[in-house]
Amino acid sequence: MSNGSTFPPHRRLRGTLVIALVALVVAGAAGWLVWRPLSGAGGEPSGAAPPGAAASGGAGGNSKESKEPKDPDSKGPKDHQAPPGGDSHKGNPHGSLKGKTVVIDPGHNPRNRDHAREIARLVNIGNERKECDTTGTATNDGYAEAAFTLDVARRTRALLQDQGAKVVFTQDGDRPYGPCVDERATIGNKAHADAAVSIHADGSGTGNRGFHVILPARVRAGAADTSPIVPPSRELGERLAGRFVAVTGSAPSNYVGGGTGLDVRSDLGGLNLSTVPKVFIECGNMRDAKDAAHLTDAQWRQKAARGITEGIADFLTR
């Protein structure tokens, strides 16, 4: 045979095919060994999610976020990344607050302006003495904070009652003035409230925008001892802030709280003298035109009431 081969042509061809097949198998195995360490448990290579999937959302991905989902009720700025105008919280169905008592404190009083001497008298708030009450602020067009707080409070009451809660008001436009800040705290204490929220709107400078929730500082002075209520009040405030931004679409304050939407104060009698979990919410700045446009809009006020309700409900059903 030619080329000195001792094998017939058909045997040489078969040998060549066997060698080629072995080489192909070895190459394929090597390729699989190189690819396998780069893939997740679900078989998709890291950084190459399947069509339509988020880069970090696949069940087999290596992203830390995909393994540790964020809790929408957890602390800090994550609460404030919720989409604006979100749906009503599904975790708080009708009747879920049965047996719970909530105190709603509409800030100020529409008739305080007619009782300047009475609301100017000083009352003891534990660590100092302050005015009984104030008139509150207003928008540049004259919409009073006291009218705003009553409207949102009444809307909030209706939503809370729909979920079965007992709601107690500190005032419902039925008093000549006040009540004083110390009495507002006493009303919540006597009701043995499971949660208390004082509703306000701020009167800061133009350009200062957004809401913030005021939490009690640790105060032990005179009749004030907030130590037992500081932790639950913070949780109430965090949940309230998280739901408020989700429902209203409002951003946390750009001038108080460092972007968290939370502020801690020791100079408010309504907090210092409370023995039940309590916070204040400043729903926006009435002196800023953009915030005022929301605060004067009835549909937005309904959203504000819903955000407050959902925050309270989240706290009470935790």
Side-chain angles (χ1 to χ4, degrees):
M1 295 186 176
S2 63
N3 299 325
S5 173
T6 60
F7 297 104
H10 68 278
R11 294 187 61 185
R12 289 204 310 272
L13 177 59
R14 183 171 61 186
T16 300
L17 291 174
V18 169
I19 293 171
L21 180 60
V22 170
L24 182 61
V25 170
V26 171
W32 182 86
L33 290 172
V34 171
W35 174 84
R36 184 64 181 86
L38 296 179
S39 67
E44 288 295 331
S46 178
S56 64
N62 293 326
S63 166
K64 183 176 181 180
E65 287 193 359
S66 69
K67 298 177 182 178
E68 299 177 7
K70 293 180 180 178
D71 178 359
D73 295 326
S74 61
K75 298 179 181 180
K78 289 183 287 186
D79 286 338
H80 308 303
Q81 295 171 359
D87 291 337
S88 180
H89 197 215
K90 299 295 189 296
N92 302 310
H94 177 81
S96 65
L97 300 183
K98 186 175 181 180
K100 302 294 186 180
T101 298
V102 179
V103 168
I104 298 296
D105 177 26
H108 312 289
N109 183 316
R111 289 179 283 187
N112 274 357
R113 61 187 181 183
D114 300 324
H115 297 271
R117 185 178 66 179
E118 289 88 347
I119 67 172
R121 70 181 179 86
L122 300 181
V123 298
N124 195 323
I125 66 167
N127 56 358
E128 61 177 305
R129 294 176 66 82
K130 291 189 72 173
E131 294 88 349
C132 158
D133 203 2
T134 66
T135 59
T137 187
T139 66
N140 294 332
D141 291 333
Y143 180 54
E145 179 187 0
F148 169 83
T149 64
L150 263 179
D151 182 77
V152 173
R154 289 166 176 164
R155 294 170 186 269
T156 301
R157 175 173 58 191
L159 293 170
L160 287 168
Q161 288 176 336
D162 186 56
Q163 293 188 32
K166 175 185 177 182
V167 181
V168 177
F169 267 31
T170 57
Q171 60 94 10
D172 196 4
D174 52 355
R175 299 178 60 134
Y177 65 89
C180 296
V181 294
D182 55 346
E183 185 182 352
R184 290 175 187 263
T186 299
I187 291 170
N189 299 343
K190 287 184 175 179
H192 302 289
D194 296 289
V197 174
S198 189
I199 299 174
H200 288 262
D202 210 358
S204 188
T206 299
N208 290 341
R209 297 195 60 198
F211 76 93
H212 64 278
V213 177
I214 303 173
L215 314 176
R218 292 189 181 273
V219 175
R220 296 188 66 182
D225 182 4
T226 63
S227 300
I229 71 162
V230 165
S233 296
R234 172 166 284 275
E235 184 173 0
L236 170 61
E238 289 171 347
R239 290 175 182 267
L240 182 57
R243 297 310 304 163
F244 194 82
V245 69
V247 174
T248 66
S250 295
S253 170
N254 64 6
Y255 62 99
V256 173
T260 66
L262 303 174
D263 188 29
V264 178
R265 289 177 61 173
S266 62
D267 63 331
L268 298 175
L271 296 181
N272 287 3
L273 301 175
S274 181
T275 59
V276 301
K278 185 174 183 179
V279 299
F280 282 42
I281 180 167
E282 299 278 2
C283 296
N285 176 19
M286 300 199 95
R287 306 314 293 266
D288 177 82
K290 292 181 179 179
D291 269 12
H294 291 311
L295 300 170
T296 56
D297 177 51
Q299 291 184 341
W300 187 91
R301 293 197 300 272
Q302 184 65 25
K303 288 183 179 180
R306 203 174 95 221
I308 293 169
T309 299
E310 291 187 8
I312 294 171
D314 277 1
F315 172 73
L316 294 180
T317 58
R318 68 197 188 282

